[in-house]
Amino acid sequence: MERNRDSETVDTTPRQILSFMLDGDSFGVEISGIQEVLEYRDVTRVPRTPDYMLGVLNLRGRVIPVVDLRRLFGMQIAPVSVETCIVIIDVELDGKRTPLGVLADRVNEVVELDPALISPPPRLGARIKSSFIDGLARHEDDFIILLRLALIFSRDELETVLHESAVDERRASADAEEVSV
């Protein structure tokens, strides 16, 4: 930590970011919020959920909701490729950390970024929601758009997605009990 000339504390600790691609653009999230990266696998669609929610997957007995950021961000939908993966992240809801899967075209790498190379998010006007952008980081000859995934979804959207996946998890548990009987 250093102090700038206005006596404010400035964090000079490098930030570790997992960078991934969506529609040709680089995005990144803090590595501390990532559980793991999975090869793409089919997900079970959950009725009456938003179109950006692909469905749920079973990860070691836990039902994890999976969202498609391309759909959420209004990008062109792309077919699944050999590089497509699901990044399992932790989001916080009511003080509880909850896993959520995010579809990515491909994962690039973990990069260490100097905070001095991170610019604040651009002002996009009142009509475009950009509160989920943490900043823009210059890396090599490109930019990485840093995301605050917990802020991408409204509280209601996140609760809906997590509620539907919890209902699906209870159904899966009940089905498993019936099979074992």
Side-chain angles (χ1 to χ4, degrees):
M1 297 268 192
E2 293 179 359
R3 294 199 179 275
N4 66 12
R5 57 187 152 171
D6 296 329
S7 298
E8 294 176 11
T9 302
V10 177
D11 189 359
T12 57
T13 307
R15 291 174 60 184
Q16 289 192 318
I17 304 294
L18 176 74
S19 67
F20 59 92
M21 299 298 291
L22 285 175
D23 200 23
D25 292 321
S26 293
F27 291 84
V29 293
E30 292 268 356
I31 195 89
S32 61
I34 307 243
Q35 284 186 12
E36 61 188 293
V37 177
L38 306 172
E39 287 182 7
Y40 179 80
R41 56 183 77 175
D42 287 331
V43 296
T44 302
R45 186 92 178 114
V46 178
R48 297 175 48 180
T49 56
D51 71 331
Y52 60 81
M53 184 178 165
L54 294 179
V56 295
L57 63 85
N58 182 335
L59 182 62
R60 294 183 287 282
R62 292 192 69 190
V63 176
I64 310 291
V66 179
V67 297
D68 185 347
L69 291 181
R70 275 178 169 263
R71 289 177 193 261
L72 188 66
F73 292 165
M75 297 174 168
Q76 184 176 359
I77 305 306
V80 172
S81 76
V82 67
E83 293 183 315
T84 303
C85 57
I86 299 172
V87 180
I88 306 297
I89 61 164
D90 280 325
V91 292
E92 193 164 315
L93 182 64
D94 294 331
K96 181 180 174 187
R97 296 185 73 71
T98 306
L100 179 70
V102 175
L103 194 68
D105 295 347
R106 80 169 187 266
V107 167
N108 293 335
E109 62 184 330
V110 174
V111 295
E112 199 165 271
L113 298 174
D114 178 348
L117 298 177
I118 300 173
S119 303
R123 297 188 60 106
L124 300 173
R127 294 183 56 209
I128 299 173
K129 180 182 170 189
S130 63
S131 61
F132 59 85
I133 299 176
D134 194 24
L136 295 173
R138 182 172 294 285
H139 178 65
E140 297 171 354
D141 293 332
D142 210 352
F143 281 104
I144 300 173
I145 301 167
L146 303 177
L147 299 175
R148 290 185 233 168
L149 290 174
L151 297 180
I152 288 176
F153 308 98
S154 73
R155 180 180 179 83
D156 290 341
E157 288 171 324
L158 195 53
E159 284 178 348
T160 297
V161 167
L162 295 174
H163 172 74
E164 292 300 326
S165 66
V167 167
D168 201 46
E169 187 170 12
R170 286 192 295 274
R171 280 191 210 119
S173 293
D175 291 347
E177 286 178 17
E178 286 178 19
V179 169
S180 66
V181 174

